[in-house]
Amino acid sequence: MAEAGTTVRGLLVRRDFRRLLGTRLLSQFGDGVFQAALAGTVLFNPQRAADPVDIAAGFAVLLLPYSLVGPFAGVWLDRWSRRHVLLRANVLRAGLVAVVAALVLAGVQGPAFYAAGLAVFSVNRFILAALSAGLPHTTDESSLVSANAVSTTSGAVATVVGGGAALALLQWTGSDDAGYAGLALSAALPYLAAAAVVAGFSRGHLGPDHMARSARLSAGQVLAGMASGARHAWRHRRAAAALTAISLHRVWFGVLTLMALLLYRNTFVEASGPFPGGLVGLGEVVAAGAVGTLTAAAVTPAAARRMGKARWIGLLLAVGGVAQVGLGLLLQPPAAVAAGFVLGFMGQGVKICVDTTLQECIDDDHRGRVFSVYDTLFNVGYVAALMAGAFVLPESGVSRPLLLVVGVGYVATAVLHGRMVRR
């Protein structure tokens, strides 16, 4: 922990790193507020109701369409100024959340509501890819693991803090359509603040190193660029193994997410005391995951240096998967909170190593496309697991056999990743 503190102070000496970090923190704080508003609207709003298939379908409508076209965005991330992308996308997103808030206030459901949410999430994934692609321009190569640990972890914590702030605001706004509309609208403020912070960069500071003179592309050029990014990543065995590991992790994570949502909505409703049910209890699980995320950020840089990123990924997946099964079988709110901590630690440790591996392996002219492919795999695996889980899980969320499948899946993912790296 002392070593981690020294590393963080060294990174924060650089003004450009601080500015990019500030952009990320404000942006992801807004994400937390907006996501809490949407989750409350769909899951815990007494004016609406949703079964497991409805929940999974909502995730699919919001995430899957962008996941299918996301790699196209990477082509432009390797041609446009990433500073301009972050500035304009945050302003655009602020306008889009106002549209979502208006739809929630009007009680609109169905295609119009999901289309507006899809637009916000689409811009969000674009921004996160640009942040990751631009990070190497704000730190030295020797500090890249630590820079990813600080950036992605603090961003994840900012999302949780944003969600916590939304829960606090909910006490004032109320848990009906008007209250959740107010929450959604409040997310526009941190988005606009993020745009103001990133405006301090010069046009080319975040790359790409060789920007095209013209951003106009034909559909064929976009498809060729997308395919080029995927091939470029697959040719590097470390990058291919890293993408495989994070994609399969998202599959198992998707199953556990749906299970937790159903447990806290339908099974833990009578729980009270320090570990309640409902939205507050689910917030405790998310908060425990944030603590796990912070712990992973402190531990991962040193662990990756000592045993290597590939071994650390394998250890996290294998041990974390077994722990998820052990805690999940207890089917009690305290065990669910502990499982949230383990999942946060495992997921963030893997993500830090995967992000760093891609930044090390992929040259800057392909980095935007590769990170957009990464985002697509990230979402497709998650949505596929949610859809499959919706037809397997009962409304109570209780399924011990499925928990065992998840545990075996995590161990198998660790083995596959290790073999791909060695081969």
Side-chain angles (χ1 to χ4, degrees):
M1 293 291 286
E3 183 180 355
T6 302
T7 302
V8 171
R9 286 193 295 272
L11 288 168
L12 294 178
V13 168
R14 289 190 56 152
R15 185 177 180 181
D16 54 353
F17 179 82
R18 294 198 307 270
R19 186 177 294 279
L20 190 65
L21 180 63
T23 303
R24 179 185 286 272
L25 293 180
L26 288 166
S27 178
Q28 294 196 241
F29 179 87
D31 290 344
V33 175
F34 183 70
Q35 289 169 16
L38 282 189
T41 299
V42 175
L43 295 173
F44 297 99
N45 186 344
Q47 295 177 238
R48 306 183 186 220
D51 60 24
V53 176
D54 291 331
I55 295 170
F59 275 106
V61 169
L62 289 173
L63 298 179
L64 194 54
Y66 171 68
S67 298
L68 298 177
V69 301
F72 291 82
V75 178
W76 281 286
L77 280 178
D78 290 333
R79 295 175 65 87
W80 291 346
S81 163
R82 292 170 190 151
R83 178 261 190 194
H84 286 3
V85 169
L86 291 170
L87 171 61
R88 294 169 182 173
N90 273 298
V91 173
L92 173 62
R93 194 163 52 165
L96 290 172
V97 297
V99 175
V100 173
L103 293 174
V104 173
L105 182 62
V108 175
Q109 302 184 53
F113 174 74
Y114 287 124
L118 169 62
V120 177
F121 278 98
S122 297
V123 178
N124 179 50
R125 300 313 300 173
F126 202 98
I127 287 172
L128 291 178
L131 286 167
S132 294
L135 180 64
H137 291 267
T138 64
T139 186
D140 300 325
E141 186 176 350
S142 60
S143 303
L144 205 49
V145 174
S146 298
N148 275 296
V150 172
S151 297
T152 59
T153 302
S154 58
V157 172
T159 302
V160 175
V161 173
L167 290 178
L169 285 173
L170 194 63
Q171 307 306 313
W172 298 89
T173 62
S175 56
D176 55 7
D177 281 341
Y180 286 115
L183 282 185
L185 184 60
S186 66
L189 295 177
Y191 290 155
L192 291 174
V197 172
V198 80
F201 282 113
S202 62
R203 181 175 185 271
H205 193 97
L206 300 177
D209 292 335
H210 306 289
M211 282 184 281
R213 293 183 179 180
S214 173
R216 295 181 181 179
L217 294 171
S218 67
Q221 288 174 309
V222 172
L223 286 171
M226 179 181 67
S228 174
R231 288 195 303 269
H232 189 79
W234 192 252
R235 282 196 297 266
H236 294 78
R237 61 186 177 89
R238 290 171 55 216
L243 287 172
T244 301
I246 197 73
S247 300
L248 290 174
H249 158 64
R250 289 291 289 179
V251 170
W252 315 125
F253 179 73
V255 174
L256 294 174
T257 297
L258 184 58
M259 188 175 291
L261 289 172
L262 294 174
L263 284 171
Y264 275 91
R265 185 184 177 190
N266 301 319
T267 300
F268 297 158
V269 288
E270 302 298 328
S272 58
F275 299 98
L279 187 58
V280 175
L282 189 61
E284 286 187 349
V285 175
V286 175
V291 175
T293 295
L294 281 171
T295 308
V299 172
T300 294
R305 282 193 296 270
R306 289 170 186 168
M307 68 175 63
K309 291 186 286 293
R311 289 183 179 178
W312 182 237
I313 288 174
L315 181 64
L316 286 170
L317 291 171
V319 175
V322 172
Q324 285 296 308
V325 174
L327 291 168
L329 290 175
L330 297 176
L331 288 175
Q332 295 294 326
V337 173
F341 171 85
V342 173
L343 194 58
F345 182 90
M346 171 177 58
Q348 189 63 13
V350 171
K351 188 178 189 308
I352 290 169
C353 292
V354 169
D355 286 1
T356 306
T357 298
L358 295 179
Q359 289 162 346
E360 289 173 344
C361 293
I362 307 303
D363 63 76
D364 190 65
D365 290 339
H366 288 81
R367 198 172 286 143
R369 281 166 283 179
V370 170
F371 269 96
S372 285
V373 172
Y374 174 11
D375 281 344
T376 299
L377 294 173
F378 205 75
N379 285 333
V380 168
Y382 185 65
V383 171
L386 285 168
M387 292 301 297
F391 292 99
V392 175
L393 280 169
E395 289 201 15
S396 65
V398 178
S399 177
R400 290 180 172 85
L402 192 56
L403 265 176
L404 293 174
V405 170
V406 169
V408 172
Y410 267 120
V411 174
T413 301
V415 173
L416 176 61
H417 174 263
R419 292 187 65 181
M420 289 182 70
V421 170
R422 287 192 298 272
R423 185 168 59 243

mmCIF file with all atom_site columns, all heavy atoms in Angstrom, residues 168-193:
data_model
loop_
_atom_site.group_PDB
_atom_site.id
_atom_site.type_symbol
_atom_site.label_atom_id
_atom_site.label_alt_id
_atom_site.label_comp_id
_atom_site.label_asym_id
_atom_site.label_entity_id
_atom_site.label_seq_id
_atom_site.pdbx_PDB_ins_code
_atom_site.Cartn_x
_atom_site.Cartn_y
_atom_site.Cartn_z
_atom_site.occupancy
_atom_site.B_iso_or_equiv
_atom_site.pdbx_formal_charge
_atom_site.auth_seq_id
_atom_site.auth_comp_id
_atom_site.auth_asym_id
_atom_site.auth_atom_id
_atom_site.pdbx_PDB_model_num
ATOM 1   N N   . ALA A 1 168 ? -28.941 9.257  -2.321  1.00 0.00 ? 168 ALA A N   1
ATOM 2   C CA  . ALA A 1 168 ? -29.185 10.310 -1.336  1.00 0.00 ? 168 ALA A CA  1
ATOM 3   C C   . ALA A 1 168 ? -30.191 11.333 -1.858  1.00 0.00 ? 168 ALA A C   1
ATOM 4   O O   . ALA A 1 168 ? -31.108 11.757 -1.134  1.00 0.00 ? 168 ALA A O   1
ATOM 5   C CB  . ALA A 1 168 ? -27.872 10.995 -0.980  1.00 0.00 ? 168 ALA A CB  1
ATOM 6   N N   . LEU A 1 169 ? -30.048 11.704 -3.130  1.00 0.00 ? 169 LEU A N   1
ATOM 7   C CA  . LEU A 1 169 ? -30.990 12.655 -3.731  1.00 0.00 ? 169 LEU A CA  1
ATOM 8   C C   . LEU A 1 169 ? -32.401 12.078 -3.802  1.00 0.00 ? 169 LEU A C   1
ATOM 9   O O   . LEU A 1 169 ? -33.392 12.815 -3.739  1.00 0.00 ? 169 LEU A O   1
ATOM 10  C CB  . LEU A 1 169 ? -30.527 13.041 -5.131  1.00 0.00 ? 169 LEU A CB  1
ATOM 11  C CG  . LEU A 1 169 ? -29.352 14.018 -5.238  1.00 0.00 ? 169 LEU A CG  1
ATOM 12  C CD1 . LEU A 1 169 ? -28.917 14.150 -6.688  1.00 0.00 ? 169 LEU A CD1 1
ATOM 13  C CD2 . LEU A 1 169 ? -29.748 15.383 -4.676  1.00 0.00 ? 169 LEU A CD2 1
ATOM 14  N N   . LEU A 1 170 ? -32.472 10.747 -3.929  1.00 0.00 ? 170 LEU A N   1
ATOM 15  C CA  . LEU A 1 170 ? -33.773 10.097 -4.057  1.00 0.00 ? 170 LEU A CA  1
ATOM 16  C C   . LEU A 1 170 ? -34.639 10.323 -2.819  1.00 0.00 ? 170 LEU A C   1
ATOM 17  O O   . LEU A 1 170 ? -35.868 10.319 -2.906  1.00 0.00 ? 170 LEU A O   1
ATOM 18  C CB  . LEU A 1 170 ? -33.569 8.594  -4.293  1.00 0.00 ? 170 LEU A CB  1
ATOM 19  C CG  . LEU A 1 170 ? -34.778 7.792  -4.776  1.00 0.00 ? 170 LEU A CG  1
ATOM 20  C CD1 . LEU A 1 170 ? -35.232 8.295  -6.138  1.00 0.00 ? 170 LEU A CD1 1
ATOM 21  C CD2 . LEU A 1 170 ? -34.425 6.309  -4.847  1.00 0.00 ? 170 LEU A CD2 1
ATOM 22  N N   . GLN A 1 171 ? -33.992 10.537 -1.666  1.00 0.00 ? 171 GLN A N   1
ATOM 23  C CA  . GLN A 1 171 ? -34.756 10.801 -0.447  1.00 0.00 ? 171 GLN A CA  1
ATOM 24  C C   . GLN A 1 171 ? -35.528 12.116 -0.553  1.00 0.00 ? 171 GLN A C   1
ATOM 25  O O   . GLN A 1 171 ? -36.533 12.312 0.132   1.00 0.00 ? 171 GLN A O   1
ATOM 26  C CB  . GLN A 1 171 ? -33.808 10.844 0.763   1.00 0.00 ? 171 GLN A CB  1
ATOM 27  C CG  . GLN A 1 171 ? -32.900 9.629  0.902   1.00 0.00 ? 171 GLN A CG  1
ATOM 28  C CD  . GLN A 1 171 ? -33.664 8.319  0.912   1.00 0.00 ? 171 GLN A CD  1
ATOM 29  O OE1 . GLN A 1 171 ? -34.667 8.186  1.626   1.00 0.00 ? 171 GLN A OE1 1
ATOM 30  N NE2 . GLN A 1 171 ? -33.209 7.356  0.128   1.00 0.00 ? 171 GLN A NE2 1
ATOM 31  N N   . TRP A 1 172 ? -35.036 13.016 -1.409  1.00 0.00 ? 172 TRP A N   1
ATOM 32  C CA  . TRP A 1 172 ? -35.684 14.310 -1.584  1.00 0.00 ? 172 TRP A CA  1
ATOM 33  C C   . TRP A 1 172 ? -36.635 14.314 -2.777  1.00 0.00 ? 172 TRP A C   1
ATOM 34  O O   . TRP A 1 172 ? -37.679 14.964 -2.745  1.00 0.00 ? 172 TRP A O   1
ATOM 35  C CB  . TRP A 1 172 ? -34.629 15.411 -1.786  1.00 0.00 ? 172 TRP A CB  1
ATOM 36  C CG  . TRP A 1 172 ? -33.716 15.579 -0.617  1.00 0.00 ? 172 TRP A CG  1
ATOM 37  C CD1 . TRP A 1 172 ? -32.533 14.932 -0.390  1.00 0.00 ? 172 TRP A CD1 1
ATOM 38  C CD2 . TRP A 1 172 ? -33.927 16.424 0.522   1.00 0.00 ? 172 TRP A CD2 1
ATOM 39  N NE1 . TRP A 1 172 ? -31.975 15.334 0.799   1.00 0.00 ? 172 TRP A NE1 1
ATOM 40  C CE2 . TRP A 1 172 ? -32.799 16.248 1.386   1.00 0.00 ? 172 TRP A CE2 1
ATOM 41  C CE3 . TRP A 1 172 ? -34.922 17.326 0.884   1.00 0.00 ? 172 TRP A CE3 1
ATOM 42  C CZ2 . TRP A 1 172 ? -32.678 16.931 2.584   1.00 0.00 ? 172 TRP A CZ2 1
ATOM 43  C CZ3 . TRP A 1 172 ? -34.797 18.016 2.082   1.00 0.00 ? 172 TRP A CZ3 1
ATOM 44  C CH2 . TRP A 1 172 ? -33.689 17.816 2.930   1.00 0.00 ? 172 TRP A CH2 1
ATOM 45  N N   . THR A 1 173 ? -36.266 13.598 -3.828  1.00 0.00 ? 173 THR A N   1
ATOM 46  C CA  . THR A 1 173 ? -37.059 13.652 -5.048  1.00 0.00 ? 173 THR A CA  1
ATOM 47  C C   . THR A 1 173 ? -38.233 12.683 -5.043  1.00 0.00 ? 173 THR A C   1
ATOM 48  O O   . THR A 1 173 ? -39.219 12.892 -5.749  1.00 0.00 ? 173 THR A O   1
ATOM 49  C CB  . THR A 1 173 ? -36.184 13.339 -6.274  1.00 0.00 ? 173 THR A CB  1
ATOM 50  O OG1 . THR A 1 173 ? -35.659 12.009 -6.159  1.00 0.00 ? 173 THR A OG1 1
ATOM 51  C CG2 . THR A 1 173 ? -35.026 14.331 -6.382  1.00 0.00 ? 173 THR A CG2 1
ATOM 52  N N   . GLY A 1 174 ? -38.127 11.585 -4.254  1.00 0.00 ? 174 GLY A N   1
ATOM 53  C CA  . GLY A 1 174 ? -39.169 10.572 -4.265  1.00 0.00 ? 174 GLY A CA  1
ATOM 54  C C   . GLY A 1 174 ? -38.893 9.505  -5.302  1.00 0.00 ? 174 GLY A C   1
ATOM 55  O O   . GLY A 1 174 ? -38.188 9.731  -6.284  1.00 0.00 ? 174 GLY A O   1
ATOM 56  N N   . SER A 1 175 ? -39.476 8.304  -5.096  1.00 0.00 ? 175 SER A N   1
ATOM 57  C CA  . SER A 1 175 ? -39.179 7.156  -5.962  1.00 0.00 ? 175 SER A CA  1
ATOM 58  C C   . SER A 1 175 ? -40.297 6.913  -6.975  1.00 0.00 ? 175 SER A C   1
ATOM 59  O O   . SER A 1 175 ? -40.755 5.788  -7.159  1.00 0.00 ? 175 SER A O   1
ATOM 60  C CB  . SER A 1 175 ? -38.943 5.900  -5.122  1.00 0.00 ? 175 SER A CB  1
ATOM 61  O OG  . SER A 1 175 ? -40.065 5.661  -4.275  1.00 0.00 ? 175 SER A OG  1
ATOM 62  N N   . ASP A 1 176 ? -40.766 7.986  -7.606  1.00 0.00 ? 176 ASP A N   1
ATOM 63  C CA  . ASP A 1 176 ? -41.741 7.849  -8.676  1.00 0.00 ? 176 ASP A CA  1
ATOM 64  C C   . ASP A 1 176 ? -41.126 8.374  -9.972  1.00 0.00 ? 176 ASP A C   1
ATOM 65  O O   . ASP A 1 176 ? -39.935 8.687  -10.019 1.00 0.00 ? 176 ASP A O   1
ATOM 66  C CB  . ASP A 1 176 ? -43.033 8.592  -8.336  1.00 0.00 ? 176 ASP A CB  1
ATOM 67  C CG  . ASP A 1 176 ? -42.773 10.061 -8.004  1.00 0.00 ? 176 ASP A CG  1
ATOM 68  O OD1 . ASP A 1 176 ? -41.622 10.525 -8.173  1.00 0.00 ? 176 ASP A OD1 1
ATOM 69  O OD2 . ASP A 1 176 ? -43.723 10.748 -7.565  1.00 0.00 ? 176 ASP A OD2 1
ATOM 70  N N   . ASP A 1 177 ? -41.916 8.482  -11.021 1.00 0.00 ? 177 ASP A N   1
ATOM 71  C CA  . ASP A 1 177 ? -41.377 8.928  -12.305 1.00 0.00 ? 177 ASP A CA  1
ATOM 72  C C   . ASP A 1 177 ? -40.745 10.311 -12.215 1.00 0.00 ? 177 ASP A C   1
ATOM 73  O O   . ASP A 1 177 ? -39.676 10.564 -12.794 1.00 0.00 ? 177 ASP A O   1
ATOM 74  C CB  . ASP A 1 177 ? -42.490 8.939  -13.370 1.00 0.00 ? 177 ASP A CB  1
ATOM 75  C CG  . ASP A 1 177 ? -42.788 7.543  -13.910 1.00 0.00 ? 177 ASP A CG  1
ATOM 76  O OD1 . ASP A 1 177 ? -41.927 6.659  -13.743 1.00 0.00 ? 177 ASP A OD1 1
ATOM 77  O OD2 . ASP A 1 177 ? -43.873 7.347  -14.483 1.00 0.00 ? 177 ASP A OD2 1
ATOM 78  N N   . ALA A 1 178 ? -41.387 11.226 -11.487 1.00 0.00 ? 178 ALA A N   1
ATOM 79  C CA  . ALA A 1 178 ? -40.851 12.583 -11.365 1.00 0.00 ? 178 ALA A CA  1
ATOM 80  C C   . ALA A 1 178 ? -39.506 12.576 -10.638 1.00 0.00 ? 178 ALA A C   1
ATOM 81  O O   . ALA A 1 178 ? -38.566 13.283 -11.021 1.00 0.00 ? 178 ALA A O   1
ATOM 82  C CB  . ALA A 1 178 ? -41.844 13.477 -10.632 1.00 0.00 ? 178 ALA A CB  1
ATOM 83  N N   . GLY A 1 179 ? -39.389 11.760 -9.591  1.00 0.00 ? 179 GLY A N   1
ATOM 84  C CA  . GLY A 1 179 ? -38.139 11.687 -8.839  1.00 0.00 ? 179 GLY A CA  1
ATOM 85  C C   . GLY A 1 179 ? -37.002 11.141 -9.667  1.00 0.00 ? 179 GLY A C   1
ATOM 86  O O   . GLY A 1 179 ? -35.894 11.701 -9.672  1.00 0.00 ? 179 GLY A O   1
ATOM 87  N N   . TYR A 1 180 ? -37.261 10.052 -10.384 1.00 0.00 ? 180 TYR A N   1
ATOM 88  C CA  . TYR A 1 180 ? -36.210 9.457  -11.208 1.00 0.00 ? 180 TYR A CA  1
ATOM 89  C C   . TYR A 1 180 ? -35.873 10.333 -12.419 1.00 0.00 ? 180 TYR A C   1
ATOM 90  O O   . TYR A 1 180 ? -34.724 10.338 -12.883 1.00 0.00 ? 180 TYR A O   1
ATOM 91  C CB  . TYR A 1 180 ? -36.621 8.056  -11.658 1.00 0.00 ? 180 TYR A CB  1
ATOM 92  C CG  . TYR A 1 180 ? -36.553 7.041  -10.538 1.00 0.00 ? 180 TYR A CG  1
ATOM 93  C CD1 . TYR A 1 180 ? -37.694 6.412  -10.057 1.00 0.00 ? 180 TYR A CD1 1
ATOM 94  C CD2 . TYR A 1 180 ? -35.332 6.737  -9.935  1.00 0.00 ? 180 TYR A CD2 1
ATOM 95  C CE1 . TYR A 1 180 ? -37.629 5.490  -9.022  1.00 0.00 ? 180 TYR A CE1 1
ATOM 96  C CE2 . TYR A 1 180 ? -35.257 5.820  -8.896  1.00 0.00 ? 180 TYR A CE2 1
ATOM 97  C CZ  . TYR A 1 180 ? -36.409 5.199  -8.439  1.00 0.00 ? 180 TYR A CZ  1
ATOM 98  O OH  . TYR A 1 180 ? -36.334 4.301  -7.401  1.00 0.00 ? 180 TYR A OH  1
ATOM 99  N N   . ALA A 1 181 ? -36.836 11.093 -12.908 1.00 0.00 ? 181 ALA A N   1
ATOM 100 C CA  . ALA A 1 181 ? -36.543 12.045 -13.982 1.00 0.00 ? 181 ALA A CA  1
ATOM 101 C C   . ALA A 1 181 ? -35.584 13.124 -13.492 1.00 0.00 ? 181 ALA A C   1
ATOM 102 O O   . ALA A 1 181 ? -34.644 13.515 -14.196 1.00 0.00 ? 181 ALA A O   1
ATOM 103 C CB  . ALA A 1 181 ? -37.837 12.673 -14.494 1.00 0.00 ? 181 ALA A CB  1
ATOM 104 N N   . GLY A 1 182 ? -35.809 13.618 -12.265 1.00 0.00 ? 182 GLY A N   1
ATOM 105 C CA  . GLY A 1 182 ? -34.897 14.611 -11.697 1.00 0.00 ? 182 GLY A CA  1
ATOM 106 C C   . GLY A 1 182 ? -33.498 14.065 -11.521 1.00 0.00 ? 182 GLY A C   1
ATOM 107 O O   . GLY A 1 182 ? -32.506 14.766 -11.779 1.00 0.00 ? 182 GLY A O   1
ATOM 108 N N   . LEU A 1 183 ? -33.393 12.799 -11.087 1.00 0.00 ? 183 LEU A N   1
ATOM 109 C CA  . LEU A 1 183 ? -32.073 12.170 -10.939 1.00 0.00 ? 183 LEU A CA  1
ATOM 110 C C   . LEU A 1 183 ? -31.360 12.092 -12.279 1.00 0.00 ? 183 LEU A C   1
ATOM 111 O O   . LEU A 1 183 ? -30.172 12.409 -12.393 1.00 0.00 ? 183 LEU A O   1
ATOM 112 C CB  . LEU A 1 183 ? -32.223 10.765 -10.358 1.00 0.00 ? 183 LEU A CB  1
ATOM 113 C CG  . LEU A 1 183 ? -32.472 10.625 -8.867  1.00 0.00 ? 183 LEU A CG  1
ATOM 114 C CD1 . LEU A 1 183 ? -32.460 9.144  -8.486  1.00 0.00 ? 183 LEU A CD1 1
ATOM 115 C CD2 . LEU A 1 183 ? -31.433 11.378 -8.063  1.00 0.00 ? 183 LEU A CD2 1
ATOM 116 N N   . ALA A 1 184 ? -32.069 11.628 -13.306 1.00 0.00 ? 184 ALA A N   1
ATOM 117 C CA  . ALA A 1 184 ? -31.453 11.499 -14.628 1.00 0.00 ? 184 ALA A CA  1
ATOM 118 C C   . ALA A 1 184 ? -30.957 12.850 -15.130 1.00 0.00 ? 184 ALA A C   1
ATOM 119 O O   . ALA A 1 184 ? -29.839 12.962 -15.653 1.00 0.00 ? 184 ALA A O   1
ATOM 120 C CB  . ALA A 1 184 ? -32.459 10.902 -15.618 1.00 0.00 ? 184 ALA A CB  1
ATOM 121 N N   . LEU A 1 185 ? -31.740 13.885 -14.937 1.00 0.00 ? 185 LEU A N   1
ATOM 122 C CA  . LEU A 1 185 ? -31.357 15.209 -15.416 1.00 0.00 ? 185 LEU A CA  1
ATOM 123 C C   . LEU A 1 185 ? -30.117 15.731 -14.693 1.00 0.00 ? 185 LEU A C   1
ATOM 124 O O   . LEU A 1 185 ? -29.278 16.417 -15.296 1.00 0.00 ? 185 LEU A O   1
ATOM 125 C CB  . LEU A 1 185 ? -32.521 16.184 -15.236 1.00 0.00 ? 185 LEU A CB  1
ATOM 126 C CG  . LEU A 1 185 ? -32.308 17.599 -15.792 1.00 0.00 ? 185 LEU A CG  1
ATOM 127 C CD1 . LEU A 1 185 ? -32.042 17.550 -17.296 1.00 0.00 ? 185 LEU A CD1 1
ATOM 128 C CD2 . LEU A 1 185 ? -33.525 18.469 -15.487 1.00 0.00 ? 185 LEU A CD2 1
ATOM 129 N N   . SER A 1 186 ? -29.970 15.397 -13.409 1.00 0.00 ? 186 SER A N   1
ATOM 130 C CA  . SER A 1 186 ? -28.816 15.894 -12.654 1.00 0.00 ? 186 SER A CA  1
ATOM 131 C C   . SER A 1 186 ? -27.492 15.344 -13.174 1.00 0.00 ? 186 SER A C   1
ATOM 132 O O   . SER A 1 186 ? -26.426 15.914 -12.925 1.00 0.00 ? 186 SER A O   1
ATOM 133 C CB  . SER A 1 186 ? -28.969 15.545 -11.165 1.00 0.00 ? 186 SER A CB  1
ATOM 134 O OG  . SER A 1 186 ? -28.914 14.139 -10.959 1.00 0.00 ? 186 SER A OG  1
ATOM 135 N N   . ALA A 1 187 ? -27.521 14.233 -13.923 1.00 0.00 ? 187 ALA A N   1
ATOM 136 C CA  . ALA A 1 187 ? -26.285 13.679 -14.491 1.00 0.00 ? 187 ALA A CA  1
ATOM 137 C C   . ALA A 1 187 ? -25.676 14.601 -15.537 1.00 0.00 ? 187 ALA A C   1
ATOM 138 O O   . ALA A 1 187 ? -24.483 14.491 -15.846 1.00 0.00 ? 187 ALA A O   1
ATOM 139 C CB  . ALA A 1 187 ? -26.563 12.306 -15.110 1.00 0.00 ? 187 ALA A CB  1
ATOM 140 N N   . ALA A 1 188 ? -26.454 15.512 -16.084 1.00 0.00 ? 188 ALA A N   1
ATOM 141 C CA  . ALA A 1 188 ? -25.928 16.429 -17.108 1.00 0.00 ? 188 ALA A CA  1
ATOM 142 C C   . ALA A 1 188 ? -24.850 17.351 -16.540 1.00 0.00 ? 188 ALA A C   1
ATOM 143 O O   . ALA A 1 188 ? -23.933 17.756 -17.271 1.00 0.00 ? 188 ALA A O   1
ATOM 144 C CB  . ALA A 1 188 ? -27.060 17.250 -17.714 1.00 0.00 ? 188 ALA A CB  1
ATOM 145 N N   . LEU A 1 189 ? -24.934 17.687 -15.266 1.00 0.00 ? 189 LEU A N   1
ATOM 146 C CA  . LEU A 1 189 ? -23.971 18.628 -14.682 1.00 0.00 ? 189 LEU A CA  1
ATOM 147 C C   . LEU A 1 189 ? -22.544 18.086 -14.684 1.00 0.00 ? 189 LEU A C   1
ATOM 148 O O   . LEU A 1 189 ? -21.629 18.764 -15.162 1.00 0.00 ? 189 LEU A O   1
ATOM 149 C CB  . LEU A 1 189 ? -24.417 19.008 -13.261 1.00 0.00 ? 189 LEU A CB  1
ATOM 150 C CG  . LEU A 1 189 ? -25.734 19.790 -13.173 1.00 0.00 ? 189 LEU A CG  1
ATOM 151 C CD1 . LEU A 1 189 ? -26.105 20.029 -11.706 1.00 0.00 ? 189 LEU A CD1 1
ATOM 152 C CD2 . LEU A 1 189 ? -25.610 21.115 -13.914 1.00 0.00 ? 189 LEU A CD2 1
ATOM 153 N N   . PRO A 1 190 ? -22.280 16.880 -14.162 1.00 0.00 ? 190 PRO A N   1
ATOM 154 C CA  . PRO A 1 190 ? -20.902 16.369 -14.241 1.00 0.00 ? 190 PRO A CA  1
ATOM 155 C C   . PRO A 1 190 ? -20.435 16.128 -15.669 1.00 0.00 ? 190 PRO A C   1
ATOM 156 O O   . PRO A 1 190 ? -19.241 16.257 -15.959 1.00 0.00 ? 190 PRO A O   1
ATOM 157 C CB  . PRO A 1 190 ? -20.938 15.068 -13.428 1.00 0.00 ? 190 PRO A CB  1
ATOM 158 C CG  . PRO A 1 190 ? -22.373 14.714 -13.301 1.00 0.00 ? 190 PRO A CG  1
ATOM 159 C CD  . PRO A 1 190 ? -23.130 15.988 -13.333 1.00 0.00 ? 190 PRO A CD  1
ATOM 160 N N   . TYR A 1 191 ? -21.324 15.801 -16.594 1.00 0.00 ? 191 TYR A N   1
ATOM 161 C CA  . TYR A 1 191 ? -20.917 15.636 -17.990 1.00 0.00 ? 191 TYR A CA  1
ATOM 162 C C   . TYR A 1 191 ? -20.403 16.955 -18.562 1.00 0.00 ? 191 TYR A C   1
ATOM 163 O O   . TYR A 1 191 ? -19.371 16.996 -19.248 1.00 0.00 ? 191 TYR A O   1
ATOM 164 C CB  . TYR A 1 191 ? -22.096 15.128 -18.829 1.00 0.00 ? 191 TYR A CB  1
ATOM 165 C CG  . TYR A 1 191 ? -22.505 13.700 -18.544 1.00 0.00 ? 191 TYR A CG  1
ATOM 166 C CD1 . TYR A 1 191 ? -23.800 13.271 -18.810 1.00 0.00 ? 191 TYR A CD1 1
ATOM 167 C CD2 . TYR A 1 191 ? -21.605 12.780 -18.023 1.00 0.00 ? 191 TYR A CD2 1
ATOM 168 C CE1 . TYR A 1 191 ? -24.185 11.964 -18.564 1.00 0.00 ? 191 TYR A CE1 1
ATOM 169 C CE2 . TYR A 1 191 ? -21.972 11.476 -17.766 1.00 0.00 ? 191 TYR A CE2 1
ATOM 170 C CZ  . TYR A 1 191 ? -23.273 11.063 -18.039 1.00 0.00 ? 191 TYR A CZ  1
ATOM 171 O OH  . TYR A 1 191 ? -23.641 9.767  -17.795 1.00 0.00 ? 191 TYR A OH  1
ATOM 172 N N   . LEU A 1 192 ? -21.103 18.046 -18.278 1.00 0.00 ? 192 LEU A N   1
ATOM 173 C CA  . LEU A 1 192 ? -20.661 19.355 -18.766 1.00 0.00 ? 192 LEU A CA  1
ATOM 174 C C   . LEU A 1 192 ? -19.352 19.767 -18.098 1.00 0.00 ? 192 LEU A C   1
ATOM 175 O O   . LEU A 1 192 ? -18.480 20.378 -18.726 1.00 0.00 ? 192 LEU A O   1
ATOM 176 C CB  . LEU A 1 192 ? -21.746 20.398 -18.505 1.00 0.00 ? 192 LEU A CB  1
ATOM 177 C CG  . LEU A 1 192 ? -23.026 20.237 -19.338 1.00 0.00 ? 192 LEU A CG  1
ATOM 178 C CD1 . LEU A 1 192 ? -24.082 21.236 -18.888 1.00 0.00 ? 192 LEU A CD1 1
ATOM 179 C CD2 . LEU A 1 192 ? -22.740 20.405 -20.829 1.00 0.00 ? 192 LEU A CD2 1
ATOM 180 N N   . ALA A 1 193 ? -19.193 19.421 -16.810 1.00 0.00 ? 193 ALA A N   1
ATOM 181 C CA  . ALA A 1 193 ? -17.945 19.735 -16.114 1.00 0.00 ? 193 ALA A CA  1
ATOM 182 C C   . ALA A 1 193 ? -16.774 18.957 -16.719 1.00 0.00 ? 193 ALA A C   1
ATOM 183 O O   . ALA A 1 193 ? -15.664 19.483 -16.862 1.00 0.00 ? 193 ALA A O   1
ATOM 184 C CB  . ALA A 1 193 ? -18.077 19.413 -14.626 1.00 0.00 ? 193 ALA A CB  1
#
